[in-house]
Amino acid sequence: MTDAYIYDAIRTPRGKGRKDGSLHEVTSAKLSAGVLNALKERNNLEGHAVEDVIWGNVTQVKEAGGCLARTAVLASDLDQSIPGLAINRFCASGMEAVNLAANQIQGGAGEAYIAGGVEMMGRVPMGSDGAAIAVDPSIAMNTYFVPQGISADIIATEYGFSRDDADALAVASQQRAEAAWKDNRFANSIVPVKDQNGLNILDHDEYMRPQTDMQSLGGLNAAFQAMGEVMPGFDKVALMKYPHLERINHIHTAGNSSGIVDGSAGVLVGSKEFGEKFGLKPRARIRQTAKIGTDPTIMLTGPVPVTHKILADSGMSISDIDLFEVNEAFSSVVLRFMQAFDVDHSKVNVNGGSIAMGHPLGATGAIIIGTLLDELERSDKEVGLATLCIASGMGAATIIERV
């Protein structure tokens, strides 16, 4: 089997996903093309340098529809002989793009890929593509469908996490993100977004709220309590599925859940021969990839079983992992991961996460792989694991090892 290596990993800053966000006038294709161009320039990629561009985006409608991956290639400076594949595994789309690229290389189907994703949540609103699992009663009733925020609160209820637990993790995310930016820890991977005149539109993550503390978070209302307890009453659906629970404890707020943002990220994945051809030095080997399906109602517990799976598949144990990136979709997701594996928070999301910087759905999986690699290099550690929970009850994970 051919080894797959990461040669480069970059991302845009994350803009607020609303009309007053700095990236609101930038289209999904243009933001993606900017990432593709940066990878081309940084790595001197000429001609049909990569087999394909595999690009994740979740809400594939309007400007993000119609195989956005191919549109992004045509909007970029990449050679038109390079095709594009748009994929959707919800929040893990960017990671799945990287994993698919690695799997293709390992199987001999091409020497290099650009993989990653984009989400312009301020331009193409989350959920605007519809979803049969939510709107088709014959499916929703049989799967005990509830929205993700309710699922996050079910995790908190099932595993005993309090509002203070969730808020404390959120404060840590904000503090770590601020410290990382001040220490220029993202400098190697951030590609500023520029206008047509070459002037910066955005060069930092603008969603961050470093002044956040326990007192300010304590003043926020539970975000999903009304939809759970009043109309449409999703708590009753949850309690039908999990009758051992007396009630759902609603602990999640806008402050301890991931932010709605715009952003894009890309990873250059290739074989050893590809690197030699273009004079590039590999930064890490993709040691193992994994995905799994889980209970669709509690939905967001996927990082735990997929981590068990990826460790078993690779013949490793949790103690073999030096650093973890666990997407901060909601506080309870990360709290459950640390509880399940008895992993200290000092090894998890050490530079903050999606609570502080935002979660551009189709890009986040690629973002956290790049963040993990940068931190492994900065801290001189060897092995890292990145994982995400996924809508409808799935999990995805990637293990990388520095070379």
Side-chain angles (χ1 to χ4, degrees):
M1 183 176 70
T2 302
D3 282 332
Y5 297 92
I6 295 175
Y7 285 91
D8 202 3
I10 63 174
R11 70 172 178 93
T12 68
R14 285 169 268 195
K16 296 176 182 177
R18 56 196 197 201
K19 290 184 178 180
D20 63 346
S22 295
L23 299 182
H24 187 69
E25 299 303 318
V26 182
T27 67
S28 303
K30 287 294 185 183
L31 195 69
S32 300
V35 172
L36 299 181
N37 286 342
L39 285 170
K40 178 181 186 293
E41 294 164 10
R42 284 163 61 115
N43 299 282
N44 298 310
L45 304 178
E46 298 297 335
H48 198 140
V50 298
E51 184 76 14
D52 203 354
V53 170
I54 306 177
W55 214 239
N57 69 290
V58 174
T59 311
Q60 297 187 6
V61 294
K62 299 181 180 179
E63 70 175 53
C67 191
L68 179 59
R70 177 57 176 166
T71 304
V73 170
L74 296 176
S76 76
D77 297 329
L78 290 179
D79 194 283
Q80 68 177 4
S81 64
I82 298 170
L85 170 66
I87 66 165
N88 179 9
R89 198 187 291 278
F90 296 119
C91 299
S93 297
M95 173 175 283
E96 189 63 30
V98 175
N99 290 355
L100 280 173
N103 298 157
Q104 293 281 80
I105 292 165
Q106 290 163 349
E111 289 192 348
Y113 289 76
I114 291 176
V118 67
E119 208 74 35
M120 300 300 292
M121 300 180 74
R123 294 178 61 89
V124 186
M126 178 171 56
S128 58
D129 55 339
I133 194 170
V135 301
D136 184 334
S138 68
I139 300 173
M141 293 177 66
N142 288 337
T143 59
Y144 294 89
F145 170 80
V146 298
Q148 289 187 32
I150 300 294
S151 298
D153 287 337
I154 296 172
I155 293 173
T157 306
E158 178 69 40
Y159 295 102
F161 304 127
S162 68
R163 170 71 177 267
D164 281 350
D165 293 334
D167 285 351
L169 188 136
V171 170
S173 181
Q174 297 284 353
Q175 293 174 341
R176 291 176 177 190
E178 181 188 28
W181 270 101
K182 285 184 175 179
D183 198 32
N184 292 318
R185 296 183 188 180
F186 302 128
N188 185 52
S189 56
I190 289 289
V191 177
V193 181
K194 299 179 181 294
D195 65 15
Q196 60 189 12
N197 297 313
L199 301 176
N200 279 352
I201 296 175
L202 186 65
D203 61 5
H204 64 282
D205 291 324
E206 69 176 350
Y207 183 80
M208 292 165 51
R209 300 179 297 275
Q211 74 281 4
T212 299
D213 57 23
M214 292 294 287
Q215 183 175 1
S216 62
L217 289 180
L220 298 176
N221 292 326
F224 310 104
Q225 186 167 359
M227 70 170 65
E229 296 179 354
V230 187
M231 286 297 292
F234 284 109
D235 281 9
K236 292 183 179 179
V237 177
L239 294 174
M240 289 173 62
K241 179 72 175 285
Y242 311 110
H244 63 283
L245 300 177
E246 293 183 3
R247 59 182 294 275
I248 305 302
N249 183 21
H250 293 284
I251 69 165
H252 287 95
T253 68
N256 58 33
S257 307
S258 57
I260 293 174
V261 296
D262 303 324
S264 181
V267 180
L268 178 60
V269 185
S271 65
K272 182 179 179 181
E273 291 72 22
F274 163 78
E276 292 171 347
K277 179 180 179 181
F278 284 90
L280 302 174
K281 182 181 178 181
R283 296 172 61 190
R285 178 170 69 96
I286 298 178
R287 184 161 173 172
Q288 194 72 42
T289 68
K291 59 270 187 184
I292 203 166
T294 63
D295 180 339
T297 308
I298 200 169
M299 192 187 309
L300 307 176
T301 55
V304 174
V306 82
T307 296
H308 282 300
K309 183 178 189 298
I310 200 169
L311 291 174
D313 290 349
S314 60
M316 302 175 72
S317 66
I318 201 74
S319 62
D320 293 322
I321 309 298
D322 297 315
L323 291 172
F324 300 87
E325 283 288 325
V326 183
N327 185 39
E328 294 175 350
F330 300 90
S331 283
S332 64
V333 174
V334 183
L335 291 169
R336 173 56 188 153
F337 181 89
M338 294 189 295
Q339 180 191 66
F341 294 102
D342 194 24
V343 173
D344 191 87
H345 196 195
S346 63
K347 292 184 176 183
V348 181
N349 302 346
V350 300
N351 292 313
S354 293
I355 289 174
M357 293 175 282
H359 176 19
L361 306 178
T364 302
I367 289 174
I368 66 173
I369 289 173
T371 299
L372 180 61
L373 176 54
D374 283 344
E375 182 59 24
L376 286 171
E377 292 174 339
R378 188 193 73 85
S379 58
D380 197 24
K381 292 183 169 60
E382 298 300 320
V383 181
L385 184 152
T387 184
L388 302 94
C389 61
I390 308 173
S392 301
M394 294 183 282
T398 309
I399 293 176
I400 62 174
E401 181 178 32
R402 285 177 61 205
V403 293

